[in-house]
C-alpha cells in the first residue's frame, strides 16, 4: 500500500501542486514567524546583556511621587555617588541623567522619530573616557556649549566636529558646538534613534536638578562580589531609589523583551493559522477529486483483497508525502520570510540589532508538524469516503453521487451549528463591553456552520445570477451557471476559502472604518482650533515657554493648553484639564449642560455631567480640594458639560492649578488663528516657537490623521497578512477548475463537436470561476458585515460617538477583486479546456 500511495503521488504531481503550494505558504508563515521572533528576541537579549556588561550594580531613582516634592530629593545626590565609589570592591561609580533631546538637520527638521531621540550626560572616568561610548572623531563634551553625537545622527545631519548643531529638549532650541562623534550599544540608538551627550552639569540642569543624578552605574574591582556591593549600596540610597545587580537587570530586560515580542508572535501565528485553515478546504477538495477520479482503481483494489482501513491508510500516506514535501519547501521559504521581515523593519526605520538568523528546533519541528498534520487531517474524510465505496457500485460508476441522506444530515447539522453561533453572538451583543469573547466564540461557531451549509446555499444564490449570465453570454453563460452548481460540495468547499478570507477582511473593514469615523467625529465635532501644538515625541510635555511663545504669535486670536493635572476633589482623585478661560471655549467645543464656562475666569471649575450626577453635585456647590503639593482649599462648580474625549472630567483655569504645580504637564496647545489655516499662519507659529525641531505644529488634517492614522495603518497590515489566505483561496479555485476540466473531457469534447468554439469554451470556464468566486465573496461580505456589527456593539460604550459605518466603497472593491480572482484563476484551466482534441476527449473515460 505504501508503494501504491507513492506511485499515486508521482502520477498526480500536477494535480497536487496547488495543495503543495497551500501547505507550503502556511508552513512558511508559521516557521517564518517563529524564526523571526526568535531572531529578534536573541538580538535584543544580546544587546541587553551587552548594555549591562561590566555593570556590577545599577541604581535607579524614580523621583518623588506627586504631593511629596518638598519632602523627597529629585534624584540621587552627587555626594551619594561619591560615597558609593568609596565602598570596598567598587572600581568606579558614575552618575547618569537623561531625557528627550531632538537634533535638527540642516533644513531644521527633526532627525529621528521623536520617541527614540535621547539626551544624556557624558560621564568620563579618571582616564577621561566613558566606557559606554567609543569615539570615532573628536572627544566628549568638556564644557557647557559642547555636545557629542552618535555616528548615525551625525551622518544623517552631515555634521562634522566643530560644526554648530541645533538641539531642543522640551524648551527653546539651543546651539552647541559638536565636540565628537561616537558609537554605542545603546538600545534606542540601535532602534534608529539619536543620542546627544551633554556636559554633566548641563544635562542635570536640563533633565533633573543641578547636583542630582537619575541613575548610577557601579563597576566592580577584579574578584569583588556583585551581591556584596549591592548589600553595601542599598543603605546609602535616598527614598524612591532602588539598586539591582547588572545580571538581574539584564535578565529582567530579556524577560520584558520576550513579553513584548509575544504579542507580535501571537498575531503572526494567528494569521498563519487562518491561512492553514483556509488551506484545509483546498487540500480536502483536492483529495476528494483525486479519490473520485480513482474510484474504479480503488474498487479494484478492494476486489482483490484490500481492506477499508488499507484504502484509507493509502490516501493518508499520500497526504503524509505531500505534507512532508510541502513542509520542507515551506521551511526554506519561511527562513527567507524571516529575513524579509527583518529587512522590512529596518526599511521603516524600526532597526533591529545585528545578529545571526536563529533557527531553533522548535521552529523546524513546529513547521513540519503543522504542515503534515494539516494535510493528513484534511485528507482524512476523502480517504474515509473512498474506503466506504462498495467495489461493485464503484466499478459501474466513475462518479458516485453523494446520497440524499448524507446531504440531509449535513444540512441539518449545518443549520443547528449556524443557529447556535448566531444565538451566542446575539447573547454577546446583549452583554455589552464584556461580551467580546462571547461574540468571538459565536463567530467561530457561525463560521463552522456556514462552511457546513455552504453547498446548500450555492444553488439558490447562483440561481439568482444565472438569468444574467444567459442574457449577457448566451450558451456559455448558461453552461457556466449549470456547471457551478453541478457539484455543490465542490463549489461549497472552493467558495468556503474565499468566504473565510473575505469574512475577516470585511469584518475588519467595518470595525476599522466605524472606529475611524468615531475618532474623526471627535476631531471635527470638538476641535474648533486651527492648529494643535505638541512635542514630536508623543506624550512629552511642552515647556511653559512654548505656551508663552504661541500666545505672542502674530495673528493668534485664541490660545489655550490642555494642561493635564490631578487633585483630590471631595476626597477622590480626579483628572483635571487646565485651560485659559475665554480662549478655551474658542478652540474646543464643550457642550454646556448647566451654568457657564465664563465662570472659569472667576476661579470656578466645570465638571462633566456624568461625574456630577454620580456624586450628586450641582452647579454652584462648593467642594473641598487637596492639591498635589498637599495644600487644601475649596472650589465651586460653575458649570457642568457633556462628556468630551478631548478634556478630563474636570476643567479648571490655569490660575487655580499653577500655584500648586511648578512644572506643569502640557501635552497640547490649541490655537485659533486670524484667517484660519494657511501656510503663512503655520509658518508664523513655527517661527514663534524658534523653528524648534522637537515641536510639531499640526493642522486639522494632521489632528485627524493622528487620531485615525493608527487605525488605517493597522487595517493595512491586517489586509497584507490576510492576503496569504486569499492567495490560498485563489489556488483553490484554480485547482477546482483544473479538476473539473479533467473530469468533463467527454462533455467538453461533445460541446466542441456540436459547434461550441474554443472562444466560448474559454468563456464558459471563466464565467464558472467568476460565479464561484462571487458566491464565496457575497457569503463572506454578508458574514463579515454581521460580525463587524456585533463586535462594534461590544465596543460602543468604550468609544464615545461610535456608530456602525458600512464601507461600501471597500466592499465594492472586494467584490471586484473576487471577480478578478475568478478570471485569473480560470486562465490555465480555460486554456487547457479549449486545447482539448475533440475526438480524444470524446473517447476519454
Amino acid at each position: 500500500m505504501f508503494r501504491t500511495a507513492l506511485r499515486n503521488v508521482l502520477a498526480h504531481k500536477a494535480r497536487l501542486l496547488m495543495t503543495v503550494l497551500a501547505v507550503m505558504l502556511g508552513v512558511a508563515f508559521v516557521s517564518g514567524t517563529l524564526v523571526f521572533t526568535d531572531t529578534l528576541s536573541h538580538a535584543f537579549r544580546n544587546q541587553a546583556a551587552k548594555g549591562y556588561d561590566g555593570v556590577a550594580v545599577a541604581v535607579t531613582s524614580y523621583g518623588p511621587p506627586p504631593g511629596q516634592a518638598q519632602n523627597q530629593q529629585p534624584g540621587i545626590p552627587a555626594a551619594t555617588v561619591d560615597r558609593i565609589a568609596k565602598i570596598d570592591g567598587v572600581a568606579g561609580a558614575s552618575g547618569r541623567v537623561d531625557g528627550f533631546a531632538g537634533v535638527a538637520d540642516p533644513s531644521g527638521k527633526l532627525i529621528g522619530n521623536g520617541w527614540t531621540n535621547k539626551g544624556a550626560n557624558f560621564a568620563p572616568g579618571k582616564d577621561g573616557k566613558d566606557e559606554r561610548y567609543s569615539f570615532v572623531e573628536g572627544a566628549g563634551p568638556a564644557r557647557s556649549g559642547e555636545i557629542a553625537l552618535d555616528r548615525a545622527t551625525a551622518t544623517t545631519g552631515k555634521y562634522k566636529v566643530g560644526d554648530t548643531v541645533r538641539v531642543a529638549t522640551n524648551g527653546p532650541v539651543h546651539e552647541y558646538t559638536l565636540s565628537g562623534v561616537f558609537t554605542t550599544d545603546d538600545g534606542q540608538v540601535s532602534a534608529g534613534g539619536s543620542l546627544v551627550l551633554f556636559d554633566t552639569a548641563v544635562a542635570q540642569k536640563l533633565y533633573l536638578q543641578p547636583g542630582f543624578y537619575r541613575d548610577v552605574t557601579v563597576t566592580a574591582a577584579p574578584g569583588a562580589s556583585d551581591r556584596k556591593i549591592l548589600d553595601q549600596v542599598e543603605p546609602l540610597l535616598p527614598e524612591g531609589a532602588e539598586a539591582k545587580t547588572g545580571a538581574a537587570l539584564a535578565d529582567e530586560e530579556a524577560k520584558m523583551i520576550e513579553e513584548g515580542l509575544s504579542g507580535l508572535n501571537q498575531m503572526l501565528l494567528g494569521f498563519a493559522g487562518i491561512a492553514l485553515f483556509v488551506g484545509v478546504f483546498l487540500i480536502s477538495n483536492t483529495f476528494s477529486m483525486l479519490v473520485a477520479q480513482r474510484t474504479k482503481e480503488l474498487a479494484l483494489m478492494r476486489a482483490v483483497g484490500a481492506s477499508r482501513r488499507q484504502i484509507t491508510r493509502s490516501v493518508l500516506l499520500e497526504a503524509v508525502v505531500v505534507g512532508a514535501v510541502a513542509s520542507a519547501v515551506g521551511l526554506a521559504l519561511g527562513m527567507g520570510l524571516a529575513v524579509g521581515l527583518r529587512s522590512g523593519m529596518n526599511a521603516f526605520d524600526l532597526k533591529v540589532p545585528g545578529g545571526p538568523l536563529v533557527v531553533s528546533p522548535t521552529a523546524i519541528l513546529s513547521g513540519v508538524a503543522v504542515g503534515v498534520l494539516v494535510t493528513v487531517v484534511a485528507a482524512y474524510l476523502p480517504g474515509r469516503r473512498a474506503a466506504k465505496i462498495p467495489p461493485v457500485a464503484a466499478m459501474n460508476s466513475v462518479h458516485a453521487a453523494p446520497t440524499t441522506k448524507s446531504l440531509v444530515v449535513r444540512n441539518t447539522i449545518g443549520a443547528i451549528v449556524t443557529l447556535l453561533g448566531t444565538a451566542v453572538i446575539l447573547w454577546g451583543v446583549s452583554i455589552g463591553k464584556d461580551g467580546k469573547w462571547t461574540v468571538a466564540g459565536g463567530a467561530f461557531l457561525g463560521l463552522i456552520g456556514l462552511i457546513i451549509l455552504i453547498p446548500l446555499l450555492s444553488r439558490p444564490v447562483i440561481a439568482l445570477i444565472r438569468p444574467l449570465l444567459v442574457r449577457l453570454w448566451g450558451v456559455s453563460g448558461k453552461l457556466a451557471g449549470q456547471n457551478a452548481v453541478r457539484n455543490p460540495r465542490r463549489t461549497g468547499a472552493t467558495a468556503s476559502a474565499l468566504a473565510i478570507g473575505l469574512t475577516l477582511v470585511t469584518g475588519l473593514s467595518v470595525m476599522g472604518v466605524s472606529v475611524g469615523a468615531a475618532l474623526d467625529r471627535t476631531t471635527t465635532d470638538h476641535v474648533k482650533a486651527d492648529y494643535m501644538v505638541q512635542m514630536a515625541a508623543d506624550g512629552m510635555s511642552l515647556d511653559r515657554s512654548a505656551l508663552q511663545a504661541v500666545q505672542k504669535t502674530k495673528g493668534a486670536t485664541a490660545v489655550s493648553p490642555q494642561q493635564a493635572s490631578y487633585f483630590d476633589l471631595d476626597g477622590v482623585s480626579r483628572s483635571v484639564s487646565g485651560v485659559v478661560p475665554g480662549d478655551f471655549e474658542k478652540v474646543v467645543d464643550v457642550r454646556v449642560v448647566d451654568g457657564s464656562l465664563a465662570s472659569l475666569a472667576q476661579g470656578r471649575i466645570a465638571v462633566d455631567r456624568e461625574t456630577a450626577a454620580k456624586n450628586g453635585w450641582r452647579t454652584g456647590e462648593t467642594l473641598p480640594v487637596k492639591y498635589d503639593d498637599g495644600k487644601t482649599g475649596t472650589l465651586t462648580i460653575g458649570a457642568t458639560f457633556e462628556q468630551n474625549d478631548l478634556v478630563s472630567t474636570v476643567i479648571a483655569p490655569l490660575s487655580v492649578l499653577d500655584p500648586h504645580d511648578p512644572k506643569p504637564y502640557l501635552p497640547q496647545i490649541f490655537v485659533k488663528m486670524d484667517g484660519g489655516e494657511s501656510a503663512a499662519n503655520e509658518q508664523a507659529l513655527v517661527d514663534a516657537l524658534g523653528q524648534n525641531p522637537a515641536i510639531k505644529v499640526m493642522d486639522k488634517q494632521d489632528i485627524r490623521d493622528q487620531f485615525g492614522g493608527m487605525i488605517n495603518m493597522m487595517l493595512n497590515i491586517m489586509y497584507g497578512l490576510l492576503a496569504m489566505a486569499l492567495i490560498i483561496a485563489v489556488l483553490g479555485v484554480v485547482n477546482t477548475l483544473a479538476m473539473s476540466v479533467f473530469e468533463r473531457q467527454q462533455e467538453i469534447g461533445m460541446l466542441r463537436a456540436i459547434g461550441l468554439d474554443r472562444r466560448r469554451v474559454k468563456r464558459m470556464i471563466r464565467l464558472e470561476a467568476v460565479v464561484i468566486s462571487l458566491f464565496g465573496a457575497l457569503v463572506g461580505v454578508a458574514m463579515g458585515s454581521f460580525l463587524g456589527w456585533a463586535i462594534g456593539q461590544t465596543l460602543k460604550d468604550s468609544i464615545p460617538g461610535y456608530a456602525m459605518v458600512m464601507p461600501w466603497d471597500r466592499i465594492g472593491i472586494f467584490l471586484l477583486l473576487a471577480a478578478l480572482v475568478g478570471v485569473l484563476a480560470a486562465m490555465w484551466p480555460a486554456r487547457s479546456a479549449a486545447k482539448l482534441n475533440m475526438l480524444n476527449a470524446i473517447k476519454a473515460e
Side-chain angles (χ1 to χ4, degrees):
M1 295 305 293
F2 178 77
R3 287 198 301 271
T4 302
L6 190 59
R7 185 206 66 197
N8 285 326
V9 170
L10 296 175
H12 302 109
K13 293 187 291 290
R15 298 178 212 174
L16 290 167
L17 177 62
M18 300 303 173
T19 297
V20 170
L21 287 173
V23 178
M24 180 185 73
L25 289 173
V27 171
F29 218 147
V30 171
S31 58
T33 295
L34 294 174
V35 170
F36 174 64
T37 51
D38 284 347
T39 299
L40 250 63
S41 179
H42 182 265
F44 282 117
R45 277 201 310 269
N46 280 354
Q47 180 179 291
K50 210 171 186 180
Y52 291 106
D53 189 24
V55 176
V57 173
V59 182
T60 301
S61 170
Y62 299 102
Q68 296 184 15
Q70 67 276 48
N71 300 325
Q72 186 175 320
Q73 295 173 337
I76 303 165
T80 300
V81 178
D82 292 338
R83 291 173 67 189
I84 291 172
K86 295 175 182 177
I87 292 174
D88 289 338
V90 170
S94 56
R96 310 289 183 183
V97 59
D98 56 31
F100 170 80
V103 180
D105 65 16
S107 65
K109 302 294 183 182
L110 180 69
I111 297 175
N113 50 28
W115 62 273
T116 54
N117 296 119
K118 178 181 171 183
N121 67 309
F122 177 65
K126 295 177 181 178
D127 58 357
K129 296 180 180 180
D130 189 328
E131 71 276 1
R132 296 185 302 173
Y133 313 110
S134 299
F135 280 83
V136 292
E137 293 180 45
R143 54 185 66 86
S144 61
E146 294 182 342
I147 61 163
L149 292 177
D150 67 275
R151 182 160 57 183
T153 302
T155 302
T156 302
K158 299 179 180 178
Y159 291 121
K160 296 180 180 179
V161 173
D163 287 350
T164 298
V165 183
R166 299 177 72 246
V167 180
T169 52
N170 69 335
V173 180
H174 293 285
E175 293 186 346
Y176 298 89
T177 300
L178 184 62
S179 66
V181 176
F182 59 88
T183 59
T184 178
D185 292 323
D186 187 281
Q188 286 184 269
V189 175
S190 300
S194 64
L195 177 59
V196 182
L197 294 183
F198 298 95
D199 175 69
T200 294
V202 173
Q204 289 175 329
K205 185 177 179 182
L206 286 172
Y207 300 124
L208 204 59
Q209 189 173 310
F212 288 89
Y213 297 97
R214 181 166 286 120
D215 305 303
V216 178
T217 301
V218 182
T219 55
S225 166
D226 294 353
R227 185 69 226 180
K228 287 183 178 179
I229 293 174
L230 176 65
D231 292 340
Q232 295 179 74
V233 166
E234 285 180 327
L236 304 178
L237 300 182
E239 185 181 354
E242 71 170 336
K244 293 183 179 180
T245 64
L249 286 171
D251 290 341
E252 283 183 12
E253 193 161 327
K255 188 176 180 181
M256 288 173 61
I257 290 165
E258 294 281 357
E259 292 173 355
L261 290 174
S262 66
L264 174 66
N265 194 26
Q266 290 169 11
M267 183 185 74
L268 291 175
L269 286 175
F271 284 102
I274 291 168
L276 286 167
F277 185 58
V278 171
V280 165
F281 298 98
L282 188 158
I283 299 163
S284 182
N285 221 10
T286 301
F287 277 93
S288 293
M289 289 183 278
L290 286 174
V291 166
Q293 290 167 11
R294 287 161 39 208
T295 303
K296 284 189 175 182
E297 174 192 327
L298 294 172
L300 183 60
M301 291 175 66
R302 287 289 311 283
V304 297
S307 66
R308 287 186 175 185
R309 184 175 295 178
Q310 284 178 308
I311 296 295
T312 303
R313 195 181 300 155
S314 173
V315 175
L316 294 181
L317 281 172
E318 292 179 45
V320 170
V321 173
V322 171
V325 171
S327 298
V329 179
L331 277 172
L333 189 63
M335 293 177 198
L337 179 64
V339 173
L341 286 171
R342 184 172 177 172
S343 300
M345 289 185 70
N346 289 329
F348 284 99
D349 289 331
L350 300 171
K351 296 184 179 178
V352 180
L357 194 69
V358 179
V359 183
S360 66
T362 302
I364 296 172
L365 294 175
S366 299
V368 173
V370 165
V372 174
L373 183 64
V374 166
T375 311
V376 169
V377 168
Y380 175 73
L381 285 178
R384 192 164 175 265
R385 282 199 297 268
K388 284 184 174 182
I389 299 172
V392 175
M395 288 181 183
N396 290 332
S397 174
V398 175
H399 306 297
T403 63
T404 303
K405 180 182 176 182
S406 69
L407 290 174
V408 170
V409 170
R410 174 174 180 148
N411 293 337
T412 303
I413 294 172
I416 292 171
V417 175
T418 302
L419 288 173
L420 180 61
T422 304
V424 173
I425 290 171
L426 294 176
W427 178 37
V429 169
S430 67
I431 294 173
K433 63 181 180 180
D434 295 325
K436 298 182 186 69
W437 289 109
T438 305
V439 170
F444 178 75
L445 286 174
L447 275 174
I448 297 298
L450 191 67
I451 290 164
I452 298 171
L453 271 182
I454 207 166
L456 177 67
L457 296 173
S458 63
R459 290 186 182 276
V461 173
I462 294 175
L464 291 174
I465 60 175
R466 194 185 297 169
L468 180 64
L469 295 174
V470 176
R471 190 176 300 116
L472 294 177
W473 290 286
V475 174
S476 295
K478 182 178 180 179
L479 291 170
Q482 291 174 344
N483 290 334
V485 293
R486 178 179 293 181
N487 190 331
R489 288 180 184 271
R490 183 183 301 171
T491 298
T494 305
S496 293
L498 271 172
I500 292 167
L502 282 173
T503 294
L504 297 170
V505 170
T506 304
L508 285 170
S509 296
V510 170
M511 285 291 304
V513 170
S514 300
V515 171
L519 294 175
D520 190 57
R521 280 193 295 273
T522 297
T523 306
T524 54
D525 292 352
H526 299 310
V527 177
K528 297 196 287 186
D530 298 313
Y531 295 97
M532 183 174 79
V533 177
Q534 70 174 42
M535 293 292 291
D538 292 342
M540 274 197 62
S541 174
L542 291 156
D543 189 69
R544 180 53 67 90
S545 62
L547 175 60
Q548 296 165 353
V550 172
Q551 288 173 327
K552 294 176 183 177
T553 303
K554 184 179 180 182
T557 58
V559 177
S560 177
Q562 205 269 99
Q563 178 175 311
S565 187
Y566 290 87
F567 54 46
D568 287 350
L569 188 65
D570 200 17
V572 179
S573 179
R574 306 282 178 188
S575 61
V576 186
S577 290
V579 303
V580 175
D583 284 7
F584 175 68
E585 302 93 300
K586 298 175 184 177
V587 295
V588 176
D589 184 17
V590 176
R591 295 166 190 174
V592 177
V593 177
D594 189 26
S596 172
L597 291 179
S599 63
L600 293 172
Q602 302 164 9
R604 297 191 172 193
I605 61 172
V607 181
D608 80 68
R609 182 174 62 174
E610 289 184 12
T611 302
K614 185 177 179 181
N615 292 276
W617 298 337
R618 294 184 178 180
T619 304
E621 186 173 350
T622 299
L623 302 172
V625 62
K626 181 180 180 181
Y627 298 99
D628 267 356
D629 61 358
K631 294 182 180 178
T632 60
T634 59
L635 289 172
T636 302
I637 299 175
T640 57
F641 60 92
E642 293 284 359
Q643 186 177 6
N644 188 312
D645 287 342
L646 290 179
V647 295
S648 300
T649 56
V650 179
I651 302 173
L654 293 182
S655 59
V656 168
L657 299 175
D658 283 351
H660 308 284
D661 194 356
K663 291 186 177 181
Y665 177 55
L666 288 171
Q668 299 109 12
I669 301 172
F670 294 100
V671 189
K672 191 82 172 172
M673 298 291 288
D674 185 16
E677 293 182 40
S678 68
N681 280 339
E682 184 173 341
Q683 190 60 47
L685 285 169
V686 171
D687 292 341
L689 291 164
Q691 298 185 350
N692 192 322
I695 297 178
K696 293 191 291 188
V697 177
M698 307 168 67
D699 60 22
K700 284 185 177 178
Q701 187 57 52
D702 293 330
I703 299 171
R704 286 192 187 98
D705 292 343
Q706 176 159 303
F707 281 103
M710 183 61 70
I711 297 291
N712 291 328
M713 185 180 76
M714 289 301 296
L715 273 179
N716 291 333
I717 292 172
M718 298 294 183
Y719 290 156
L721 293 171
L722 286 172
M724 182 76 75
L726 294 178
I727 290 170
I728 293 174
V730 173
L731 295 176
V733 178
V734 175
N735 213 20
T736 296
L737 292 174
M739 295 292 186
S740 180
V741 168
F742 178 82
E743 289 177 357
R744 301 197 322 252
Q745 288 186 69
Q746 282 186 330
E747 176 189 319
I748 294 169
M750 289 296 296
L751 290 171
R752 288 289 315 283
I754 61 175
L756 195 70
D757 59 22
R758 289 183 175 182
R759 180 171 57 87
R760 284 190 287 182
V761 169
K762 287 182 178 180
R763 184 183 297 160
M764 176 184 72
I765 301 297
R766 282 197 294 266
L767 288 174
E768 182 182 347
V770 170
V771 167
I772 294 173
S773 298
L774 283 176
F775 167 57
L778 287 170
V779 171
V781 166
M783 186 68 176
S785 300
F786 175 61
L787 292 180
W789 167 81
I791 297 172
Q793 293 302 300
T794 66
L795 296 176
K796 66 179 183 180
D797 292 337
S798 306
I799 305 174
Y802 178 88
M804 181 177 171
V805 178
M806 284 298 293
W808 296 113
D809 53 343
R810 300 190 189 195
I811 288 174
I813 291 172
F814 297 157
L815 294 176
L816 286 174
L817 287 174
L820 180 61
V821 161
V823 172
L824 294 176
M827 288 178 67
W828 173 50
R831 188 180 177 191
S832 299
K835 289 174 68 177
L836 284 174
N837 182 285
M838 284 184 283
L839 295 178
N840 291 338
I842 291 170
K843 290 189 296 181
E845 290 192 7

